[in-house]
Amino acid sequence: MKKILITGCLGQIGSELTTRLREDYGTDNVIATDIRKIDSPVCDEGIFEILDVTDKQKMQDLAEKYEVDTLIHLAALLSAVAEAKPQLAWDLNMGGLMNALEVARELNLKFFTPSSIGCFGPGTPSENTPQDTLQRPTTMYGVTKVAGELLCDYYHAKFGVDTRGVRFPGLISYKTLPGGGTTDYAVDIYYEALKKGHYDSFIEKGTFMDMMYMPDAIDAIVQLLEADPSRLVHRNAFNITAMSVDPEQVAASIQKVMPDFTLGYDVDPVRQKIADSWPDSLDATCAKNEWGFAPKYDLDRMTQDMLEKLSKKMQNTSMAN
Ligand code: VAH
């Protein structure tokens, strides 16, 4: 992997991945793209191009212009937004993915796109969910993730495209707010803890979901893309996770740092129904065995770092305003 085009760079993953890849591979070797340009280090501190992923010709023109060898496709609607706009979610998530796979096929690019724990459904074993198991999701997001996994495996088997992917759990980060996900409560809780000392969770007590701190997620993308292909038994997509938590456990972790923090509930039935259809905990053995996946952050270490970095960010923002 030497020169990389990334779609969806202004999203929660893209904004941190772009910065990391510029550090690792050189600023001029990372082509950041998104559907709009904003005032952001992603747009201002390296190569940035406007790209709507439903425009295949533009995607191909950019890949050829910059002579990239790798395409990381992140642009997609997340679960809650996709459930509110299912037809748009299909068009964007599947149309964008097909365009990206076709560009990768025609230009012989290494390819990464994420799947999600959302690719599983109520019939999947919910504890220690196996790498290879039943995938019958009941959300449009999940349908696009399963279809996406199958499409990426097809492009590898049929056309030899070097496709790789992971099934991301909920991702927690302080740099960019997530957009329209079901696991976003696990990000919101840290912001609200610092702002108000209290948070009303839209996900119910006792709802366990896999989660991961963003540094571990970025490490996983780079590790998988640099992995020896001869070791890969699986490709699209690997179960990965760092922890399985519910709102109570996240609150208890915060209270170790902020003893007066309190947690309440204002459950969102739409996102609760989505969360209830997902597994409680994944088995990440294949990722560990096939490419050395090894997350560094558990819940308490993530909480300490989130609260420290987020409070600095909020202080800087309030000073700037
Ligand atoms: C979502 N954050 O909630 C995303 C993710 C596992 C969840 O796919 O839709």
Side-chain angles (χ1 to χ4, degrees):
M1 174 164 80
K2 292 183 178 60
K3 198 153 191 184
I4 309 130
L5 187 148
I6 313 172
T7 72
C9 282
L10 294 171
Q12 186 194 24
I13 299 170
S15 55
E16 298 207 35
L17 181 64
T18 300
T19 303
R20 166 71 181 275
L21 293 183
R22 284 172 174 165
E23 289 166 1
D24 288 6
Y25 295 90
T27 300
D28 292 341
N29 291 321
V30 179
I31 315 325
T33 74
D34 210 306
I35 198 165
R36 70 202 183 289
K37 185 168 186 174
I38 63 172
D39 181 18
S40 154
V42 168
C43 301
D44 304 336
E45 296 175 4
I47 302 170
F48 179 85
E49 297 274 5
I50 297 279
L51 174 64
D52 176 342
V53 294
T54 61
D55 180 349
K56 177 186 177 286
Q57 192 55 57
K58 176 75 180 288
M59 193 186 297
Q60 180 145 348
D61 292 347
L62 290 174
E64 289 175 329
K65 172 183 174 184
Y66 290 100
E67 298 178 327
V68 301
D69 64 1
T70 303
L71 176 50
I72 297 178
H73 178 60
L74 302 176
L77 292 185
L78 294 180
S79 57
V81 174
E83 211 49 32
K85 303 174 183 174
Q87 292 77 11
L88 174 63
W90 177 266
D91 290 345
L92 174 57
N93 291 9
M94 298 313 298
L97 176 60
M98 178 58 87
N99 288 343
L101 283 166
E102 275 294 279
V103 170
R105 179 182 65 81
E106 291 170 24
L107 301 180
N108 191 28
L109 307 181
K110 182 179 281 189
F111 187 85
F112 174 92
T113 198
S115 181
S116 157
I117 61 173
C119 74
F120 297 116
T124 305
S126 60
E127 300 295 335
N128 215 28
T129 302
Q131 174 65 43
D132 301 307
T133 188
L134 182 69
Q135 292 178 264
R136 304 267 315 163
T138 52
T139 65
M140 175 55 89
Y141 179 68
V143 168
T144 68
K145 287 304 176 185
V146 174
E149 289 187 8
L150 295 173
L151 204 52
C152 290
D153 274 347
Y154 176 83
Y155 265 69
H156 176 64
K158 177 84 173 181
F159 303 116
V161 179
D162 186 357
T163 58
R164 310 179 189 198
V166 297
R167 291 165 182 157
F168 273 132
L171 298 181
I172 288 95
S173 65
Y174 63 88
K175 291 186 180 175
T176 305
L177 280 169
T182 299
T183 58
D184 296 357
Y185 89 86
V187 178
D188 301 344
I189 192 168
Y190 291 100
Y191 280 84
E192 294 302 298
L194 290 168
K195 285 179 190 170
K196 302 175 186 166
H198 176 83
Y199 176 63
D200 287 317
S201 171
F202 60 72
I203 293 295
E204 185 59 271
K205 177 178 184 175
T207 307
F208 284 84
M209 290 187 275
D210 287 288
M211 299 285 176
M212 183 183 292
Y213 199 30
M214 187 61 79
D216 280 334
I218 302 301
D219 281 349
I221 295 173
V222 175
Q223 262 181 289
L224 176 54
L225 279 170
E226 293 291 10
D228 174 358
S230 67
R231 289 183 57 199
L232 300 181
V233 174
H234 298 83
R235 282 178 169 269
N236 304 282
F238 285 91
N239 284 0
I240 60 170
T241 182
M243 62 194 85
S244 170
V245 295
D246 82 322
E248 294 286 307
Q249 291 180 325
V250 181
S253 180
I254 292 171
Q255 286 161 347
K256 292 177 185 174
V257 182
M258 303 172 67
D260 297 334
F261 171 71
T262 55
L263 173 69
Y265 292 93
D266 179 13
V267 176
D268 169 5
V270 172
R271 285 183 284 189
Q272 185 62 42
K273 185 179 177 189
I274 294 172
D276 288 342
S277 74
W278 290 353
D280 294 352
S281 61
L282 296 191
D283 173 2
T285 303
C286 290
K288 291 169 183 169
N289 291 345
E290 296 178 36
W291 50 274
F293 170 65
K296 301 182 181 70
Y297 288 85
D298 63 11
L299 176 57
D300 287 342
R301 187 178 178 206
M302 174 177 74
T303 294
Q304 287 162 1
D305 198 65
M306 267 295 280
L307 291 175
E308 178 196 324
K309 302 280 180 43
L310 203 46
S311 54
K312 284 180 187 163
K313 176 184 168 185
M314 292 164 78
Q315 281 164 15
N316 294 340
T317 306
S318 60
M319 282 162 59
N321 292 337

